[in-house]
DNA sequence: TTACTTTTGCAACTTAGTTGCGTTAACAAA
DNA sequence: TTTGTTAACGCAACTAAGTTGCAAAAGTAA
C-alpha cells in the first residue's frame, strides 16, 4: 500500500528528490534529514514512494541502497529498467537514459536485469 | 596478499567450488562448512582466493555476496566481467559466458560494469 | 471537535560481514 | 625429527544497513 496522507516527512523526502538530479542513497537521506525525520520513517517513506512509482531503487557495488526519481512510473508499473552509473572518483550516482540490448540467453527466460556501470563521471574525467 | 600455505580450510573451500558448476553464496559456504571451518575463516579464505584470481565475487539483488570459479584469472588480472544469472524460482546463480556490448556513454569513462539478470533458469522455465 | 486510522519515533532486533587478539598449525631450516 | 618462524585460525565482540513491534502523534473526513 502506497502513500495515503501528505505528511511532513513525505514532503521533506520529496523535496530532497526535486532538488537533485542524480540518485541519493538511503544513508545520505537519513543523514540529511536526521534532525527532522527518524531513520525508520525515512526507510518506510521510501518504500511507499517506490510502491507508488515516484522513485525507484537499486543497490550499488557495496550493496547499499540508492533511490532516484521515476519518470513515468505508477503504482501499477515501473518502467525504470535503465543502467546506473557510479563515479569511482566523486561517488555520484545517476540514471543512464539508455537502452542496453541483452543478447538472447539460451534456455533462460529473462525477467529483470540490473546494470551498474562504474567509472569516471563528466566532471571527474578531465 | 594471497594464499601462501595450503591449509585444510583452503582445501575444503576449493573442493566446494570444484564440485559445483554455478556460483555459491558466502552464506551457503559458511553453512556447508560450519562443522569444520569458522565463518571468519571462510570470509578470509574467499578474500584470498579472489585476490589470487581463483574465484571472483559479485552481489545479488538482495546485496549478498556470491563467489564463482574463475577461468583464466591471476593475481595480476581478473578477466571475469561477464553477467550473472539468478533464477527467481530455484535461486540458482551462475555465470553467463556471453559478452554484453554497452553503448558509448557520453562524457563518461567506463571502468567496470556489473550485470545481474534475473528470470527462470533452464530447469525452471518448462 | 471528534473519531478513526495512518504515520511516526524509539528502542530493540536482525543479519552479513569485519576486527582484534591469543592460539594453532604450515613449513622450511637445522 | 625437532625447532623456530609466522601465516592462518577460532572465538568473541563489534559494525552498519536495514527491519520490527508498539505506544504516541498527526492527518483527514465527518
Ligand atoms: Mn534510475
Ligand atoms: Mn561469474
Ligand atoms: Zn565524479
Ligand atoms: Zn531455477
Amino acid at each position: 500500500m502506497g502513500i495515503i496522507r501528505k505528511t511532513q516527512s513525505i514532503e521533506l523526502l520529496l523535496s530532497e528528490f526535486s532538488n537533485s538530479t542524480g540518485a541519493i542513497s538511503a544513508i545520505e537521506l537519513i543523514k540529511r534529514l536526521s534532525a527532522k525525520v527518524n531513520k525508520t520513517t525515512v526507510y518506510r517513506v521510501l518504500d511507499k514512494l517506490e510502491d507508488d512509482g515516484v522513485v525507484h531503487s537499486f543497490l550499488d557495488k557495496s550493496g547499499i541502497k540508492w533511490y532516484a526519481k521515476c519518470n513515468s512510473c505508477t503504482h501499477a508499473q515501473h518502467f525504470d529498467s535503465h543502467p546506473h552509473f557510479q563515479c569511482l572518483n566523486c561517488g555520484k550516482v545517476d540514471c543512464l537514459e539508455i537502452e542496453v540490448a541483452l543478447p538472447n540467453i539460451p534456455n533462460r527466460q529473462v525477467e529483470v536485469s540490473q546494470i551498474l556501470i562504474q567509472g569516471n563521471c563528466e566532471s571527474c574525467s578531465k
Side-chain angles (χ1 to χ4, degrees), chain A residues 85-92 119-125:
Chain A
F85 188 94
Q86 183 164 36
C87 178
L88 293 167
N89 185 249
C90 69
K92 198 174 70 177
N120 279 64
C121 76
E122 16 203 358
S123 342
C124 293
S125 58

Side-chain angles (χ1 to χ4, degrees), chain A residues 20-43:
Chain A
S20 155
T21 54
I24 319 174
S25 70
I27 290 167
E28 172 66 20
L29 288 166
I30 289 164
K31 204 179 298 165
R32 287 193 202 166
L33 302 178
S34 61
K36 299 181 176 170
V37 187
N38 182 270
K39 78 167 176 174
T40 308
T41 304
V42 172
Y43 282 116

Side-chain angles (χ1 to χ4, degrees), chain A residues 112-125:
Chain A
V112 213
S113 74
Q114 295 148 262
I115 303 181
L116 180 68
I117 300 170
Q118 294 182 300
N120 279 64
C121 76
E122 16 203 358
S123 342
C124 293
S125 58

Side-chain angles (χ1 to χ4, degrees), chain A residues 56 58 68-69 80 82-84 94-97:
Chain A
H56 58 278
F58 54 95
K69 269 182 286 190
D80 298 280
H82 48 252
H84 293 101
D94 31 43
C95 302
L96 295 179
E97 302 303 341

Side-chain angles (χ1 to χ4, degrees), chain A residues 26-88:
Chain A
I27 290 167
E28 172 66 20
L29 288 166
I30 289 164
K31 204 179 298 165
R32 287 193 202 166
L33 302 178
S34 61
K36 299 181 176 170
V37 187
N38 182 270
K39 78 167 176 174
T40 308
T41 304
V42 172
Y43 282 116
R44 287 195 277 225
V45 170
L46 289 171
D47 265 7
K48 293 196 165 184
L49 290 175
E50 185 165 29
D51 195 46
D52 283 349
V54 177
V55 300
H56 58 278
S57 72
F58 54 95
L59 303 184
D60 72 6
K61 198 173 187 175
S62 61
I64 77 159
K65 213 164 185 181
W66 291 72
Y67 287 86
K69 269 182 286 190
C70 288
N71 285 320
S72 55
C73 300
T74 64
H75 171 69
Q77 199 168 2
H78 262 284
F79 299 100
D80 298 280
S81 58
H82 48 252
H84 293 101
F85 188 94
Q86 183 164 36
C87 178
L88 293 167

